[in-house]
Amino acid sequence: MSPARDGGGEAGVANATSALAPLSLAQARALHLHAQGLLARPRRRARKADALAAVARMQLLQIDTIHVVARSPYLVLFSRLGAYEPRWLEQLLAERAIFEVWAHEACFAPMDDYLLHRNALHQREHHWAIRSAQRHRGSRGGEIERLLAHIRELGPVKSSDFEREDKGSGGGWWGWKDEKRWLEAGFALGELMVARRDNFQRVYDLAERVAGAAVPGWNATAIEPAQVRRSTILKSVAALGIAQARWIADYYRTKPRLRDRDLDALVADGDLLRVAVKGWDAPGYVHPDHADALTRAAAGRLRATHSALLSPFDPVVWDRERASEFFGFDYTLECYTPEPKRRYGYFVLPILVRGRLVGRLDAKAHRAAGVFEVKALYLEDGIDGDEALAQDIAGAISECAHWHGTPNVKLGRCRPAAFAKTLKAALAAASAE
């Protein structure tokens, strides 16, 4: 039984929450950030176990290879843990504590959830990666079988182990050599797994040698589709802290989008708590494990004090509708947009300050020169660029820059322009500490 259900059981939790007045938007935001591990600064220096706990708390850690600053999964963890050793992520993967899977997108997930994800494959067949993999399996099944036999006999492989005859360039599945497509097809369909990463390059091995070494009954445990659906709903709500029904399916990339009536049974059984939020046109849902945090949020005792730079692929902002509803923040990733059409920049990091998304910055880490370049920084409309805000932002930038090994911060243009002077002074003070 979870701590939230002790002392009175499900009925006690439901009765306590039903007596709550509607949450303010700030209180709902605090509950969301609490669940995501972004409410307050870490109280101690991070350990490897904290990295695993952060992945488990989020349920999914999205992977992306862009590294003008740290690659996204490392930055997402830094925003929550502070300075930590990036190699821990690869170690956790090699130790079978986490694994890679197509879920929201390509993600790390706790190995404890392997059986859930394996049984969720059919519920994700609409995903572009799964569809592409199934097409390749259908049209090139013989080649994929020979590749699997090669791995079974000779051991794990990387895409770079195979020479490419066609030297043309391209992006996505259509720009890959055949072996890369076949490896990715086997991976997406669960026949192959990522055993480890070498310099962030995937090393593929048979699922029986990866999950088979870590998960009893890895290929023989069936979970009913209804239970898979229920589990992904509950895990999504737990990860989000509080969520409207229409946001839930996106977290694990399931379909269809949920409606309130789809959650009635879970509420009736005490598996979800239904709460009101001022200004929302729909109720919010909270996992019972967050019942205590919900009570503290409603009493104004869940206060956001943390400031950090977020990855564009952070769960807090990866759903544009949700980020807008929670923070009034309209965020679109522009790295895949032609440069002349970009509004803010190539790799723009949202700026979280004490429970608000106050702006965004376009950054690049010049590691050889030790320089963290802020090409441009934009405050949101209506945000007062005072000295206190400058100190919070400067602290977040400085900490991130030092963790990158690029302690010298170079500040480019600011909007509003008058904020540049205040921020430069705060950055100078932060670097002197």
Side-chain angles (χ1 to χ4, degrees):
M1 180 176 291
S2 69
R5 301 192 187 195
D6 290 342
E10 295 172 1
V13 171
N15 289 336
T17 56
S18 64
L20 291 175
L23 298 179
S24 70
L25 182 57
Q27 290 168 341
R29 243 187 347 247
L31 184 56
H32 173 51
L33 293 172
H34 165 77
Q36 281 286 315
L38 286 167
L39 190 70
R41 289 173 58 89
R43 295 182 178 179
R44 57 171 173 76
R45 189 168 183 83
R47 304 165 186 167
K48 187 164 74 171
D50 298 321
L52 177 59
V55 177
R57 188 171 192 163
M58 293 181 286
Q59 312 289 349
L60 300 171
L61 175 59
Q62 188 171 335
I63 302 167
D64 192 84
T65 59
I66 298 172
H67 62 288
V68 291
V69 294
R71 288 186 174 94
S72 180
Y74 303 106
L75 185 56
V76 170
L77 290 178
F78 171 76
S79 300
R80 289 153 174 78
L81 303 177
Y84 76 102
E85 294 293 338
R87 69 175 185 273
W88 292 344
L89 196 59
E90 282 84 1
Q91 291 174 355
L92 291 169
L93 180 65
E95 292 165 2
R96 313 291 194 255
I98 60 176
F99 72 106
E100 296 190 29
V101 66
W102 281 102
H104 179 85
E105 288 295 337
C107 293
F108 294 108
M111 188 64 84
D112 287 348
D113 287 344
Y114 173 80
L115 292 175
L116 173 64
H117 285 279
R118 184 176 178 87
N119 282 273
L121 182 60
H122 293 303
Q123 297 186 18
R124 295 180 185 152
E125 289 182 335
H126 61 276
H127 195 293
W128 69 267
I130 307 301
R131 293 200 314 269
S132 295
Q134 289 173 334
R135 284 197 300 269
H136 278 80
R137 201 66 175 87
S139 64
R140 307 298 291 272
E143 289 95 332
I144 293 174
E145 286 296 335
R146 285 193 289 274
L147 180 59
L148 295 177
H150 172 90
I151 295 171
R152 182 170 286 107
E153 179 182 358
L154 299 178
V157 300
K158 296 180 286 188
S159 170
S160 59
D161 293 338
F162 303 93
E163 293 184 5
R164 179 173 182 171
E165 296 179 4
D166 174 15
K167 299 298 183 181
S169 62
W173 284 72
W174 55 90
W176 290 339
K177 57 192 173 186
D178 285 342
E179 290 84 359
K180 174 65 173 175
R181 294 190 188 95
W182 302 339
L183 288 168
E184 284 296 311
F187 166 66
L189 299 177
E191 298 168 295
L192 295 174
M193 294 181 69
V194 179
R196 66 180 189 277
R197 281 183 178 257
D198 291 346
N199 295 321
F200 211 69
Q201 187 177 21
R202 281 173 168 165
V203 179
Y204 302 85
D205 200 356
L206 301 176
E208 64 199 57
R209 294 202 290 239
V210 181
V215 181
W218 71 277
N219 66 338
T221 302
I223 304 176
E224 290 296 322
Q227 181 60 36
V228 171
R229 183 173 183 270
R230 176 183 177 278
S231 294
T232 54
I233 290 172
L234 296 181
K235 283 179 173 291
S236 298
V237 176
L240 291 170
I242 181 170
Q244 294 184 23
R246 61 179 179 262
W247 302 341
I248 295 171
D250 175 74
Y251 206 81
Y252 278 83
R253 281 285 198 265
T254 58
K255 283 189 175 182
R257 180 180 271 207
L258 298 173
R259 296 161 295 185
D260 292 302
R261 64 174 177 264
D262 296 319
L263 305 177
D264 285 344
L266 291 171
V267 173
D269 291 343
D271 294 316
L272 286 179
L273 311 173
R274 184 176 276 153
V275 299
V277 178
K278 295 175 184 176
W280 283 8
D281 61 3
Y285 296 88
V286 178
H287 194 284
D289 284 354
H290 291 314
D292 179 64
L294 171 61
T295 302
R296 287 187 286 135
R301 292 188 288 109
L302 209 59
R303 295 188 176 91
T305 58
H306 187 40
S307 299
L309 306 183
L310 303 184
S311 162
F313 304 101
D314 195 291
V316 169
V317 295
W318 76 28
D319 183 328
R320 185 176 181 182
E321 177 185 324
R322 174 162 44 83
S324 178
E325 192 80 38
F326 266 130
F327 299 96
F329 191 77
D330 185 16
Y331 184 72
T332 303
L333 182 65
E334 296 181 315
C335 58
Y336 305 114
T337 301
E339 186 172 359
K341 296 183 178 181
R342 291 177 194 148
R343 183 178 178 187
Y344 295 108
Y346 178 73
F347 198 70
V348 175
L349 312 181
I351 306 171
L352 176 71
V353 173
R354 301 178 183 271
R356 300 181 300 163
L357 291 177
V358 301
R360 61 197 86 198
L361 61 86
D362 185 21
K364 180 176 176 60
H366 301 273
R367 294 169 181 83
V371 173
F372 190 86
E373 180 186 9
V374 179
K375 296 181 178 182
L377 185 145
Y378 308 86
L379 295 183
E380 292 295 283
D381 292 339
I383 295 294
D384 184 13
D386 58 15
E387 187 174 334
L389 181 70
Q391 289 174 352
D392 284 331
I393 293 176
I397 293 173
S398 181
E399 289 177 8
C400 188
H402 277 81
W403 175 68
H404 274 85
T406 53
N408 301 312
V409 178
K410 178 182 176 183
L411 180 63
R413 67 183 185 277
C414 284
R415 191 191 74 187
F419 186 59
K421 182 178 179 180
T422 308
L423 182 57
K424 284 180 180 178
L427 285 166
S431 66
E433 292 179 358

